[in-house]
Amino acid sequence: MERKHLLYFFTTDAAPSPFDINMAYDAGFHAVIPYGNVNEETGTLLVQDIIFSRGPKGTKFTALFIGGDNVETAEKLRAAAVKSMFPPFQVSLMIDPKGAYTTAAALVAKVETGLGGLSGRKAAILGATGPVGRVAATHCAKSGCEVIVGSRSRESAERLAKGIREKAGGTVTGAQMGTDEEKLPILKGVDLILATAKAGVEILSRSALEALPAGKLVADVNAVPPSGVAGLKPDDDMKEIASGIRGIGAIAIGTLKYGVEMEMLETIRTSKEFTDLDDASAMEIARRRLQ
Ligand SMILES: NC(=O)c1ccc[n+]([C@@H]2O[C@H](COP(=O)([O-])OP(=O)(O)OC[C@H]3O[C@@H](n4cnc5c(N)ncnc54)[C@H](OP(=O)(O)O)[C@@H]3O)[C@@H](O)[C@H]2O)c1
């Protein structure tokens, strides 16, 4: 009898995301089995039931997806799941909390290509305290880019910057960037502006954009109108959006994000060896797909 490809979807949130469920079916899984509100303890018990029921051969037809709004909590669940498996009872897995790993990888790979490299550059991230912004900031710092993470709250920005420095190293500072007056002096001094604020929030106004000197690259991941950057359309890709300022929009980034997530899902579905895909895997795939 033909084995069915099963994907177990654990999330630390109440409701697993339909975005990831749809993508998993499109990646060829025969069934996607969602579990909400999973924690380290329940995750460990669920993994034990998953690995033993289909035998060593069946594990190759079984995979695990870890999601959740909070990156740190989702990473703890992933660590507990990995710890509860052992050869030959191991199922391949991937983690993409709130889509942040695949989205941040696509965002950073796109701007890295657009600028011809990130090393020695300076970036400001608006709305950096969400999952996408913090992961993007970490990738930029690891790539040798000086990063200023922005928030409406100085305290949140500084706490985030400290956390990234401790985890990834690099030059990362936090700044209160709620109003145009707070944003402009900082944005004037950077090469790169990443807009990673909440969906549907315009985080960079037209007047602020037009007050910036030429030569900058601006990228926005918000696909829910209005655009996160005034005048930047979702499918713009290195288009001039103000005098001497180029922009990359949310669909241009989302197309690469889709490709990265699809490749990760297909890899854990078809891999014959135990495979564990994370933020570094997403970044490596995004960079390769742009070569
Ligand atoms: N293109 C794609 O393929 C794709 C895929 C996934 C996600 N996304 C998009 O990526 C973006 C970031 O997602 P996320 O989940 O990381 O974001 P999030 O957690 O919802 O929000 C990020 C930050 O936005 C700030 N913010 C919230 N409301 C605001 C307001 N009214 N004015 C100014 N700032 C505000 C908050 O920072 P402070 O409170 O610290 O100021 C918050 O931490 C979203 O637009 C999402 O739709 C795109």
Side-chain angles (χ1 to χ4, degrees):
M1 193 183 68
E2 189 209 349
R3 289 275 196 169
K4 300 288 186 206
H5 287 280
L6 305 183
L7 180 71
Y8 287 89
F9 181 176
F10 291 179
T11 176
T12 52
D13 306 334
S17 157
F19 187 102
D20 300 313
I21 294 174
N22 292 348
M23 284 205 63
Y25 277 107
D26 289 344
F29 283 99
H30 295 110
V32 182
I33 304 113
Y35 288 83
N37 286 325
V38 182
N39 58 33
E40 292 164 71
E41 194 182 334
T42 52
T44 298
L45 294 172
L46 286 167
V47 165
Q48 282 167 3
D49 279 0
I50 289 168
I51 57 177
F52 291 129
S53 53
R54 304 186 90 194
K57 284 189 185 153
T59 59
K60 294 185 180 56
F61 293 84
T62 313
L64 179 61
F65 183 106
I66 308 262
D69 259 13
N70 183 300
V71 173
E72 273 149 35
T73 317
E75 279 292 353
K76 283 183 185 160
L77 174 57
R78 166 180 171 240
V82 172
K83 198 172 159 212
S84 58
M85 296 191 261
F86 46 86
F89 296 102
Q90 287 170 301
V91 301
S92 291
L93 73 154
M94 66 173 280
I95 175 167
D96 192 14
K98 211 180 171 192
Y101 286 0
T102 48
T103 306
L107 169 64
V108 174
K110 286 289 288 180
V111 296
E112 184 176 57
T113 302
L115 285 173
L118 288 172
S119 181
R121 302 290 193 164
K122 197 164 175 183
I125 308 187
L126 299 167
T129 52
V132 175
R134 64 181 55 215
V135 178
T138 306
H139 284 308
C140 287
K142 282 184 179 168
S143 304
C145 182
E146 184 180 337
V147 184
I148 304 161
V149 288
S151 163
R152 288 167 298 177
S153 146
R154 182 177 312 281
E155 195 193 2
S156 300
E158 286 175 353
R159 194 180 328 118
L160 173 62
K162 183 168 180 277
I164 297 171
R165 283 196 304 272
E166 285 168 4
K167 185 178 163 201
T171 309
V172 187
T173 51
Q176 184 164 325
M177 287 198 258
T179 63
D180 280 2
E181 291 67 34
E182 290 164 346
K183 289 171 199 168
L184 269 175
I186 295 166
L187 298 185
K188 282 180 177 170
V190 300
D191 308 293
L192 173 65
I193 301 167
L194 304 182
T196 62
K198 186 180 163 187
V201 170
E202 183 187 283
I203 194 80
L204 188 58
S205 68
R206 187 79 219 167
S207 57
L209 189 67
E210 284 173 356
L212 296 175
K216 299 185 193 306
L217 178 61
V218 180
D220 174 29
V221 283
N222 166 34
V224 177
S227 171
V229 175
L232 176 56
K233 295 196 183 67
D235 55 358
D236 285 346
D237 199 349
M238 296 300 288
K239 193 178 168 214
E240 188 173 36
I241 56 166
S243 183
I245 296 179
R246 292 164 300 153
I248 306 176
I251 298 297
I253 294 159
T255 303
L256 178 59
K257 175 237 159 59
Y258 180 89
V260 172
E261 183 168 352
M262 187 57 76
E263 184 172 330
M264 290 171 87
L265 284 162
E266 284 172 350
T267 301
I268 60 168
R269 182 177 67 79
T270 56
S271 176
K272 298 285 174 253
E273 306 293 327
F274 170 66
T275 306
D276 179 6
L277 302 179
D278 59 8
D279 56 337
S281 320
M283 195 66 238
E284 185 271 316
I285 293 169
R287 283 180 168 136
R288 172 166 42 73
R289 291 179 84 95
L290 286 184
Q291 278 169 8

